[in-house]
Amino acid sequence: MPGTDDVATRPDPVGPPLADAVHAALPPKSGEAQDFWRELRGSTQARIGLGRTGDALPTTEVLALRAAHAAARDAVHLPLDVASFTEQIAAVGLGAPVTVASRAADRAEYLRRPDLGRLPADLTAVAATGADIGFVLADGLSPLALADHARGLLTALAAELGDRYTLAPPVIATQARVALGDHIAAAMGVRTVLVLIGERPGLSVADSLGVYLTHLPRPGRADAERNCVSNIHPPDGLTYADAARVVAGLVAGALALGRSGVDLKDTSRAGNLSAADTSTIAAATDTEEH
């Protein structure tokens, strides 16, 4: 019940001085257990070693869980501020972004009808560029993630890819699922599309961004024909620079293989690949159709 937490058994949410005082009052075995969980909590965002008050969680942890759940719900339901976001993306310097929408009329329909989020309402604003790479910035299940991280990630991707490939102006997609990017990319006429999309919020992270890569995109591509780089949300997740480096490796690999998806492996850490992984990549490269 609120206000009945046993300080000696709950994890310490306060500063080191009080923590030391609490631990000094604990029996040695309990203190060792607290130290054990504290060390593990430093390496994960998962809720572990939360302690208890009787047979329930401490009030502070219950309230923290409710706050995290509320943040996740807000991340799903609050719409993207398209006007402000367009200004941010235009500042990256890849050209004036255009905005398209899926056939889902609003967030409620988007959540009820995933199929509508995969289909475009109108693509007349999307110009054909014939560029090597196209960017689709999709709100997905976390518009918050797109607002927080898309500009930084797009800037890193442009720096990583711009000297090797031609880049199309970005397209902003609302009420969008990943497959909407195939329709947009086909209209742009790009060789590879990168869909930057807000990932499903969780109770640890509500603003995680993902990048889905599809080589030779067209409507009807299956999920197995894509590659995903996820968990992009610095400082706790993947950094923009690291994500851009992985994506650049996948783009190069897709060009070499002639396809993306399950046959394409992340070679950015090639020194850590097993012999079997290396053989798989080599075999796929040898069978490429030019």
Side-chain angles (χ1 to χ4, degrees):
M1 295 179 61
T4 61
D5 290 357
D6 182 354
V7 177
T9 60
R10 69 179 179 179
D12 176 38
V14 295
L18 183 54
D20 293 341
V22 171
H23 294 154
L26 294 173
K29 186 174 181 180
S30 297
E32 291 172 3
Q34 293 267 332
D35 292 339
F36 171 80
W37 285 114
R38 183 175 294 108
E39 182 177 354
L40 290 181
R41 283 197 300 272
S43 61
T44 178
Q45 292 178 306
R47 287 174 166 79
I48 59 174
L50 300 183
R52 65 183 183 183
T53 298
D55 60 355
L57 287 172
T59 303
T60 52
E61 298 299 341
V62 173
L63 295 176
L65 182 65
R66 290 179 179 175
H69 185 256
R73 287 178 59 86
D74 286 347
V76 171
H77 289 284
L78 292 178
L80 180 70
D81 184 342
V82 176
S84 174
F85 184 68
T86 300
E87 292 180 3
Q88 293 182 39
I89 299 306
V92 176
L94 292 178
V98 298
T99 301
V100 302
S102 76
R103 295 184 187 176
D106 51 33
R107 292 303 286 178
E109 187 172 50
Y110 170 79
L111 295 173
R112 292 195 311 268
R113 294 286 305 274
D115 57 317
L116 296 181
R118 302 184 184 106
L119 299 172
D122 184 3
L123 294 178
T124 55
V126 179
T129 66
D132 294 327
I133 298 175
F135 300 98
V136 176
L137 313 180
D139 52 4
L141 286 168
S142 178
L144 174 66
L146 197 68
D148 284 354
H149 301 298
R151 178 178 179 177
L153 179 56
L154 186 61
T155 301
L157 288 168
E160 188 74 37
L161 301 169
D163 60 346
R164 287 173 280 176
Y165 310 102
T166 55
L167 309 179
V171 175
I172 299 168
T174 60
Q175 318 298 4
R177 303 278 176 172
V178 172
L180 181 60
D182 295 333
H183 297 267
I184 296 171
M188 287 192 288
V190 296
R191 183 168 54 180
T192 303
V193 66
L194 301 176
V195 178
L196 284 60
I197 190 167
E199 297 180 322
R200 185 187 306 274
L203 294 178
S204 296
V205 180
D207 66 339
S208 182
L209 197 65
V211 178
Y212 285 82
L213 179 152
T214 308
H215 187 61
L216 303 180
R218 63 175 185 269
R221 284 293 192 191
D223 288 340
E225 297 175 288
R226 314 185 199 282
N227 294 86
C228 177
V229 180
S230 63
N231 202 38
I232 306 167
H233 56 96
D236 298 317
L238 197 63
T239 67
Y240 305 141
D242 286 342
R245 178 176 53 80
V246 174
V247 169
L250 290 171
V251 170
L255 289 173
L257 293 174
R259 58 188 177 276
S260 54
V262 295
D263 290 330
L264 176 61
K265 309 301 179 186
D266 173 17
T267 59
S268 61
R269 296 178 295 274
N272 297 327
L273 290 177
S274 68
D277 290 331
T278 304
S279 298
T280 298
I281 295 173
T285 304
D286 290 342
T287 59
E288 177 193 353
E289 295 184 3
H290 296 279

